[in-house]
Amino acid sequence: MKWLESNLDLVWELVLAHIGLSVPPILIGFLVSIPIGWLANRYRPSRGVILVVLGLLYTVPSIPLFIFMPIFLGTPLLSPVNVVVALTIYAVALMVRTAADGLASVDDDTLLAASAMGYSGWQRFWRVELPLSGPVLLSGLRVVSASTVSLATLGVIIGVQSLGYLFTNGFQRNIPAEVVTGIVATLVIAVVFDLLLVLIGRLLLPWSTPDRRRKATRRTTPALVAGGVS
Amino acid sequence: MNLVLGGIAWILDPANMNGPSGWIARLLEQLGYTFGAVAIAAIVAIPLGYAVGHTGRGRDIAVAFSGGLRALPSLGVLILFGFALGIGFKAPMLTLVILAIPPLLAGAYAGFEAVDRRTIDAARAVGMTELQVVGKVEVPLGLPLLIGGVRSSVLQVVATATLAGYIGGGALGTFIFQGAATRNYDMMLGASILVTALALVLEGIFALLQKLVVPRGVVATGQQNVRARSSRSRAVMGSPIQEGK
């Protein structure tokens, strides 16, 4: 606690650096994986190829991936871009499968009904497919968020500032409190991100969340639900 | 391209290859960590996962536990154990065991949950004891998902075993940290290529193994029929790729 009190500025600065490293991969990963996931479902042969390639990319361990980045990007080894791009690759590799599964989970009859009502393919995607696959996408995004926040600590190995600095510095200076601070701060960021995602989910997908409300409705107005889908 | 050649040249140099601190010895250490940690974790996690899967109790706790561990930064945990246990192989091993547990646990209980409830009712109806239901029905039918759990566990551990080098625990990461300290990019790259190759080979072996362990009866009757649907909601276990690392 004493260590934390005298180093609050450092910790705060690292927290901001850590958020700066982990937010872009989560957002870009999400945006990129939806079209790729759609593509994976659209054509039969593309699904296998896309999922296998991304599976192999995900197999590349994180520290080597950081070290490979300068070769592909031409960036200096110590550049934060290496970490952001590597984490984005992981985010995409994780998220595409979920996106493909989520989009595939939308009931075919629903899609046919939308087409029958006159939706064009483009409108149907935005107004029917995407919102209905929302809950699955959200669950995938939560996994991506947690693993990205945790992996960003490893940036310190190639000299990129993040909360991982508290681990290596704490080790070199033999201060366990510093390491514990790093772990707790990482977990706090992960939890805050998770809560934010859940909150965004509640706002954008109000129909998907509370089970309680549905049960309550059933109890008070059984007649309404009786003939409905159970 | 020159950078890549430098890394490959580092790997091919016999001076870096042989001896107690050559990469062959380090690679074997990495494998030792991987299989050691997964084996220890399996002793803990598989019976526990089977108990959860068979009784259906404690599933929420298991799910929350697996999810929560995903955000735990392994480097921090490793260093913390390093303070407690000193440098050497103990702290990395303990960290890796903790890391290996969630996928194994998830694989074990998801495997049981995926078994069609009717199949289990049928097994009871023909007079199998509870132990026989577990041993002759649930374990074989759950095997593919369990191997999936072992696969993602191995994958995660082999990647993270690289960190052992940071606290003097050996393995291939030693070269990466040494290279980072002495600004020797060839050494870092060479070791990175080796770690990646090792992970890809293990992944390939497990992908194959997962195909081979589907019980013959299941293949004969068509996988779809026997285990397509479970009356219990399925655990969000995900395929091996979905686990964090």
Side-chain angles (χ1 to χ4, degrees):
Chain A
M1 271 298 128
K2 218 167 154 195
W3 181 89
L4 181 60
E5 273 168 37
S6 43
N7 291 278
L8 260 183
D9 289 345
L10 172 72
V11 173
W12 181 242
E13 194 186 305
L14 291 173
V15 164
L16 292 181
H18 200 93
I19 293 174
L21 275 185
S22 33
V23 169
I26 299 172
L27 289 183
I28 300 170
F30 180 68
L31 294 178
V32 169
S33 48
I34 290 178
I36 301 181
W38 182 85
L39 203 68
N41 282 338
R42 181 65 186 80
Y43 305 100
R44 197 166 258 277
S46 63
R47 183 179 172 89
V49 174
I50 289 175
L51 293 183
V52 164
V53 168
L54 291 172
L56 287 179
L57 271 182
Y58 192 71
T59 309
V60 179
S62 45
I63 301 167
L65 191 60
F66 292 160
I67 294 169
F68 293 148
M69 278 299 132
I71 297 174
F72 299 115
L73 303 173
T75 43
L77 184 61
L78 300 180
S79 164
V81 176
N82 296 328
V83 176
V84 171
V85 175
L87 292 179
T88 307
I89 291 175
Y90 277 132
V92 172
L94 265 172
M95 193 64 206
V96 165
R97 181 177 282 267
T98 320
D101 290 349
L103 292 172
S105 74
V106 179
D107 194 357
D108 283 342
D109 291 341
T110 313
L111 294 180
L112 289 175
S115 295
M117 285 178 68
Y119 280 98
S120 69
W122 183 249
Q123 281 174 322
R124 195 180 75 170
F125 175 79
W126 287 104
R127 298 201 190 158
V128 180
E129 277 187 275
L130 194 61
L132 285 183
S133 55
V136 180
L137 296 179
L138 180 68
S139 71
L141 195 58
R142 289 173 68 185
V143 173
V144 169
S145 157
S147 81
T148 304
V149 169
S150 151
L151 281 175
T153 56
L154 293 179
V156 72
I157 289 169
I158 55 164
V160 174
Q161 286 293 70
S162 72
L163 283 167
Y165 175 79
L166 297 178
F167 302 154
T168 54
N169 189 51
F171 181 66
Q172 281 150 16
R173 293 169 56 197
N174 204 4
I175 311 174
E178 186 174 354
V179 179
V180 173
T181 308
I183 295 178
V184 173
T186 311
L187 290 178
V188 169
I189 294 181
V191 169
V192 170
F193 278 16
D194 198 57
L195 290 176
L196 276 177
L197 287 174
V198 171
L199 190 72
I200 294 171
R202 290 242 168 125
L203 293 176
L204 294 180
L205 315 161
W207 64 88
S208 70
T209 17
D211 246 355
R212 269 172 270 122
R213 209 190 303 155
R214 217 184 305 150
K215 269 182 205 147
T217 331
R218 202 173 294 156
R219 221 176 293 128
T220 46
T221 54
L224 276 179
V225 201
V229 189
S230 62
Chain B
M1 221 49 221
N2 284 334
L3 294 172
V4 184
L5 291 180
I8 292 170
W10 183 88
I11 295 176
L12 295 178
D13 187 348
N16 299 322
M17 206 184 286
N18 304 313
S21 55
W23 67 255
I24 294 179
R26 296 297 187 201
L27 188 104
L28 292 177
E29 284 170 0
Q30 189 112 0
L31 276 176
Y33 273 123
T34 307
F35 288 110
V38 172
I40 297 172
I43 295 171
V44 182
I46 294 178
L48 207 64
Y50 278 170
V52 170
H54 183 71
T55 61
R57 279 182 205 152
R59 188 173 157 263
D60 293 340
I61 300 173
V63 171
F65 173 73
S66 312
L69 272 186
R70 190 175 283 129
L72 203 64
S74 28
L75 181 61
V77 176
L78 171 72
I79 289 172
L80 212 55
F81 284 143
F83 281 130
L85 302 171
I87 58 170
F89 79 97
K90 280 189 212 151
M93 196 57 125
L94 189 58
T95 312
L96 295 174
V97 168
I98 292 177
L99 200 70
I101 288 177
L104 287 171
L105 193 66
Y109 72 67
F112 271 28
E113 282 180 351
V115 180
D116 193 331
R117 285 293 112 184
R118 284 172 299 181
T119 311
I120 292 168
D121 289 344
R124 288 213 178 95
V126 298
M128 283 192 181
T129 63
E130 217 50 26
L131 215 61
Q132 282 173 321
V133 171
V134 173
K136 293 192 174 169
V137 180
E138 289 182 317
V139 169
L141 289 180
L143 211 52
L145 278 178
L146 177 69
I147 299 292
V150 176
R151 176 181 172 182
S152 61
S153 174
V154 165
L155 190 63
Q156 219 165 319
V157 172
V158 79
T160 313
T162 314
L163 292 177
Y166 189 75
I167 61 164
L172 288 167
T174 310
F175 298 119
I176 292 178
F177 295 109
Q178 208 177 317
T182 55
R183 306 241 165 262
N184 184 345
Y185 188 71
D186 289 349
M187 182 189 256
M188 291 171 84
L189 190 64
S192 297
I193 293 172
L194 291 172
V195 175
T196 308
L198 186 63
L200 288 173
V201 168
L202 287 176
E203 170 75 357
I205 292 174
F206 272 98
L208 205 65
L209 197 64
Q210 209 170 359
K211 287 219 171 103
L212 292 179
V213 296
V214 181
R216 220 177 334 141
V218 178
V219 182
T221 53
Q223 201 173 340
Q224 296 297 316
N225 294 337
V226 179
R227 32 195 341 241
R229 248 173 291 132
S230 160
S231 45
R232 268 198 226 162
S233 61
R234 272 183 81 164
V236 192
M237 180 238 174
S239 59
I241 348 185
Q242 268 181 310
E243 296 290 334
K245 69 173 168 183

